[in-house]
């Protein structure tokens, strides 16, 4: 079996979750904590820390995904473009957050990294540099 660090041969498996964790923790001032029973990544320090990615491991449905804030208009665009991969998550979807499935192959990790970086920038109030 080939090495599969991105989880492409095991969509929705532990390799995908571990890669998401690696992507999140590579960003500055990030802390991982369990929130609402799921691994959640916070950006910033102390009381100013804000959630920028939360895992949704079959949270009220059969999907393995993550939720994150997205720039204005991105949620509508992504859901319309790829409804099998992107969705409006419960609780936070009305605020423009996007749900990204980890259990639909193939995973486009470059796109995931961009979405996570955008979410981090939104949470910290920093401008993202490409």
């Amino acid at each position: 079996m080939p090495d599969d660090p991105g989880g492409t041969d095991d969509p929705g498996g532990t390799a995908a979750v571990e890669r998401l964790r690696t992507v999140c923790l590579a960003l500055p001032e990030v802390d991982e904590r369990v929130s609402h029973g799921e691994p959640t990544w916070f950006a910033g320090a102390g009381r100013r820390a804000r959630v920028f990615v939360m895992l949704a491991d079959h949270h009220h449905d059969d999907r393995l995904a993550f939720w994150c804030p997205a720039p204005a208009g991105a949620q509508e665009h992504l859901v319309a473009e790829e409804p099998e991969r992107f969705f409006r998550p419960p609780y936070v979807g009305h605020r423009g957050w996007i749900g990204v499935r980890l259990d639909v192959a193939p995973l486009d990790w470059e796109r995931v990294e961009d979405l996570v970086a955008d979410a981090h920038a939104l949470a910290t109030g920093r401008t993202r540099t490409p």
Side-chain angles (χ1 to χ4, degrees):
M1 178 179 200
D3 181 33
D4 186 27
T8 56
D9 291 336
D10 180 23
T14 56
V17 173
E18 287 306 314
R19 178 128 183 218
L20 176 64
R21 176 174 280 120
T22 299
V23 168
C24 291
L25 292 175
L27 294 165
E29 294 184 349
V30 171
D31 183 35
E32 180 180 339
R33 294 180 277 198
V34 174
S35 179
H36 298 87
E38 302 283 3
T40 304
W41 292 272
F42 293 78
R47 297 183 71 138
R48 298 183 53 85
R50 299 288 179 254
V51 172
F52 76 101
V53 171
M54 63 185 314
L55 189 67
D57 188 358
H58 304 94
H59 188 75
H60 298 295
D61 57 32
D62 62 348
R63 298 180 279 216
L64 176 64
F66 70 90
W67 304 346
C68 65
Q75 180 197 79
E76 295 81 8
H77 173 77
L78 291 169
V79 171
E81 179 182 89
E82 286 187 80
E84 67 283 352
R85 178 165 320 278
F86 300 105
F87 61 97
R88 184 176 189 227
Y91 312 114
V92 292
H94 69 281
R95 295 190 319 212
W97 283 47
I98 188 74
V100 183
R101 292 188 72 152
L102 295 173
D103 57 359
V104 175
L107 289 171
D108 180 348
W109 282 102
E110 187 173 311
R111 192 172 212 181
V112 167
E113 290 170 8
D114 283 343
L115 289 168
V116 168
D118 286 345
H120 184 270
L122 286 168
T124 59
R126 296 179 183 152
T127 303
R128 182 173 171 222
T129 54

